[in-house]
Amino acid sequence: MESADGQRGRDGGSLRRSPLNVIMSQIRRKRSFSDRKPLGRFLSRSSSQTGIPEDGEPEAREDKGGQSSGDSERHMGWGGVSVFLQRLGKKSDSRNLRLGHCDLTATDLLELASLLQFLPQLEEVDVSWNELIGGSLAALTSHMQQVSGIRTLRICSCRLNANDVAALGNSLGSVPLLEILDLSWNSGVGGGALQGLLGKLQPVLRELHLVACQLTAADAAVLGGVVAALPRLSLLDVSCNPQLSQEVDAGGFKQLAASLSHATNLTTLRLQACGLTANGIDALGGSLRYLPSVRELDLSCNKQLSGGLSRLTCHLAHVTHLESLDLHLCCLSHSDLEQLTLVVPYLRSVDVSWCKVVGGRLSLLLDSLQPSIILELRLSSCDLITDDLHHLAAASRRGFLSSLRVLDLSYNGSVGDEGWSALFSAGGLGSLEDVDVSLRPSSSTRCSAWLPSLLRALPRWAALARLALQRWTVGSEDRRLLDFILRKRSVLLEWDQDGRELRGTEQPEE
């Protein structure tokens, strides 16, 4: 049996611990505290600033004003949200969580998921362009029930895979108000993964963006089933999926095209660079006749459409609200151009850029336009000639272009000085906001012959906001005069004479 002195000696030793023991004891106490409070490691400010107690303070208590522990926890949670966002260089916002280009990792996604409970009013979540979170989306979607009021969800370019899409699909029932879903630039969405969304999207969805997702013809069939269950869908963008309409006769794209007839509220359909052929257009046209509400139709960058536009125009007559038709880089033929004249009378925006057949035949389009209707006319790289500019000038004088806001005549180096002078002297372009007459990067030509006509026209273009004159050269005196006219109007002048952009508010160098 130990003596009392021995016992006291050991007790006394406990009071005289070494400095190392004291430090280790403090570390153990702090570690146990941080384990209880996972948000503590984000905080660098005092508890009076963040509302989060420091070591030794009680975790929940009523303050002098009678604040409940629940209110304290919510305040503490919002402090954690604020610190998390500040660390990423973002401002706190209880309704919008925009974390694009933040280099988020899977760990960040876990932390974000733990904070969702403190954002009950959240309406928009954007975690796009964070490629390191691919394969980890379930960490976030498993907490979606805590933010059931989300209306917009954007997860673009995050290297999503089939498991991510499936996890997202399983969580969509928790966000019944979701109106906009954007999964663009995720190649893993194609190749069958889209099946994970079938039957999962809520009927209130208005916009579905699947740009550059490597969708195949089989995915097109699945997408058809998805679209058929979305009666309120107003925008569908499946651009840059070149395999989407392959093997049309096999039924994939035909099923998608047929399902569009059920989307009676569709106003915008974008099928840019989808590998559309004449057969694909035939399938699409059959549905368009049931979609009078479509206002924007983008079929651009489908080079295999050449010679097949007649299969579409016979149906476009039923699309009574069509305002914008984009056919740039579609390699239109002469017969296509003639067919186009049948549907342009009431269009507000026409883009036939990079369609060389327009050169020398612009009058066919201009004669089909209705007065004061067209707002945007894009004719970049169309091999226009001087006569085409004379026809454009004549249309201006007749008042047909009085409402025109955007005029793109860039990359048409075959137009002579006389053509440019005629256009700028014609008048009737008082609504112009954006004008581009730039030359190709490999070109360089003087504009001294027609610049006086442009200078006289500028005061009449009261709404002008941008003027592009790339690759045109001019003397320093003429350049100073142009700058003087634009200086007080804050017009953006794009002119690369000295390798930089020049604004009208800047004084050019000598």
Side-chain angles (χ1 to χ4, degrees):
M1 185 171 181
E2 292 186 312
S3 66
D5 291 340
Q7 181 67 36
R8 283 195 301 272
R10 278 203 304 274
D11 290 343
S14 67
L15 297 175
R16 294 190 298 272
R17 291 175 296 173
S18 68
L20 177 61
N21 289 336
V22 173
I23 293 173
M24 293 302 295
S25 175
Q26 291 175 347
I27 292 175
R28 281 193 293 272
R29 284 201 301 271
K30 289 186 177 181
R31 179 178 299 168
S32 63
F33 179 78
S34 63
D35 288 343
R36 294 195 307 271
K37 305 190 71 58
L39 298 178
R41 67 189 183 91
F42 296 134
L43 305 176
S44 58
R45 297 176 294 177
S46 66
S47 60
S48 63
Q49 293 172 306
T50 64
I52 302 180
E54 297 179 349
D55 291 1
E57 293 183 4
E59 296 183 22
R61 66 173 184 264
E62 289 213 5
D63 59 20
K64 294 180 180 180
Q67 184 181 27
S68 67
S69 61
D71 291 338
S72 178
E73 289 176 1
R74 283 192 293 272
H75 180 58
M76 179 175 59
W78 177 244
V81 172
S82 299
V83 172
F84 178 80
L85 295 176
Q86 288 172 7
R87 190 181 68 184
L88 298 173
K90 301 293 182 179
K91 295 182 179 180
S92 304
D93 190 332
S94 62
R95 295 186 181 275
N96 303 297
L97 193 60
R98 300 183 179 124
L99 301 177
H101 298 279
C102 283
D103 294 327
L104 295 180
T105 64
T107 302
D108 293 323
L109 212 59
L110 284 169
E111 296 172 359
L112 175 60
S114 70
L115 297 171
L116 290 182
Q117 59 182 309
F118 305 114
L119 295 167
Q121 296 180 320
L122 198 61
E123 295 183 358
E124 178 182 351
V125 175
D126 187 349
V127 292
S128 300
W129 308 98
N130 290 290
E131 296 186 345
L132 297 179
I133 67 176
S136 307
L137 194 62
L140 179 66
T141 58
S142 60
H143 292 75
M144 295 288 277
Q145 71 278 3
Q146 297 173 339
V147 284
S148 59
I150 288 180
R151 296 179 182 273
T152 301
L153 180 58
R154 302 186 189 277
I155 319 176
C156 306
S157 190
C158 290
R159 293 190 177 181
L160 301 185
N161 59 29
N163 291 334
D164 293 321
V165 178
L168 174 62
N170 292 334
S171 70
L172 290 177
S174 303
V175 283
L177 302 180
L178 188 66
E179 297 180 347
I180 300 174
L181 177 61
D182 193 345
L183 302 178
S184 298
W185 305 99
N186 286 292
S187 59
V189 173
L194 198 62
Q195 186 76 33
L197 299 182
L198 186 61
K200 306 293 181 61
L201 292 170
Q202 301 299 309
V204 298
L205 194 75
R206 295 189 297 104
E207 296 186 14
L208 181 58
H209 302 260
L210 297 171
V211 177
C213 287
Q214 292 193 9
L215 301 182
T216 64
D219 294 319
V222 174
L223 185 58
V226 171
V227 170
L230 300 174
R232 298 187 184 181
L233 190 67
S234 62
L235 184 152
L236 177 62
D237 191 349
V238 289
S239 298
C240 304
N241 288 289
Q243 301 180 27
L244 187 68
S245 61
Q246 290 185 354
E247 302 175 1
V248 174
D249 295 333
F253 186 76
K254 279 188 175 180
Q255 186 171 338
L256 171 59
S259 69
L260 293 176
S261 62
H262 301 287
T264 54
N265 289 311
L266 196 67
T267 60
T268 302
L269 179 59
R270 297 173 184 158
L271 296 168
Q272 181 188 89
C274 284
L276 284 175
T277 63
N279 289 337
I281 283 292
D282 211 10
L284 179 63
S287 292
L288 286 178
R289 63 186 304 119
Y290 301 107
L291 298 174
S293 58
V294 170
R295 296 180 181 274
E296 177 187 337
L297 181 59
D298 186 352
L299 303 176
S300 61
C301 303
N302 289 290
K303 295 183 178 180
Q304 298 180 64
L305 286 184
S306 180
L309 200 60
S310 60
R311 303 192 186 190
L312 178 68
T313 53
C314 61
H315 300 291
L316 287 181
H318 301 279
V319 189
T320 54
H321 290 88
L322 186 64
E323 296 180 351
S324 175
L325 180 61
D326 193 342
L327 294 169
H328 81 267
L329 266 177
C330 282
C331 297
L332 299 183
S333 66
H334 190 184
S335 63
D336 291 327
L337 190 61
E338 292 178 342
Q339 289 293 320
L340 186 58
T341 62
L342 302 177
V343 296
V344 298
Y346 298 100
L347 293 182
R348 292 182 177 272
S349 176
V350 177
D351 189 346
V352 289
S353 298
W354 302 90
C355 294
K356 309 301 184 183
V357 70
V358 178
R361 302 180 178 90
L362 184 59
S363 60
L364 291 176
L365 284 181
L366 297 176
D367 292 342
S368 303
L369 298 176
Q370 295 295 310
S372 304
I373 294 294
I374 189 74
L375 300 179
E376 298 184 7
L377 184 59
R378 302 183 187 275
L379 302 167
S380 177
S381 190
C382 284
D383 279 355
L384 299 183
I385 60 177
T386 302
D387 282 348
D388 292 320
L389 269 290
H390 278 293
H391 287 297
L392 193 58
S396 299
R397 285 193 293 269
R398 295 197 304 269
F400 277 56
L401 305 178
S402 60
S403 298
L404 192 66
R405 298 175 184 172
V406 177
L407 179 60
D408 185 356
L409 300 173
S410 60
Y411 296 8
N412 286 290
S414 298
V415 175
D417 292 337
E418 184 183 347
W420 296 115
S421 296
L423 175 63
F424 297 138
S425 300
L429 295 171
S431 298
L432 279 178
E433 299 174 4
D434 190 304
V435 178
D436 193 340
V437 295
S438 300
L439 296 175
R440 295 179 183 276
S442 59
S443 303
S444 180
T445 307
R446 292 188 63 83
C447 61
S448 301
W450 53 262
L451 186 61
S453 298
L454 174 63
L455 294 175
R456 288 191 294 270
L458 287 176
R460 299 193 295 269
W461 299 352
L464 188 67
R466 172 181 174 265
L467 176 62
L469 298 170
Q470 303 281 15
R471 267 77 65 185
W472 289 102
T473 60
V474 69
S476 58
E477 186 65 30
D478 286 333
R479 182 168 176 173
R480 279 195 294 268
L481 181 58
L482 180 60
D483 178 68
F484 176 77
I485 294 175
L486 299 179
R487 183 180 301 149
K488 294 183 179 180
R489 297 171 53 181
S490 298
V491 176
L492 174 61
L493 177 61
E494 294 184 2
W495 205 346
D496 62 350
Q497 253 195 325
D498 55 1
R500 66 186 182 92
E501 288 184 355
L502 176 70
R503 288 186 178 273
T505 54
E506 297 177 349
Q507 179 67 34
E509 298 178 357
E510 294 292 342

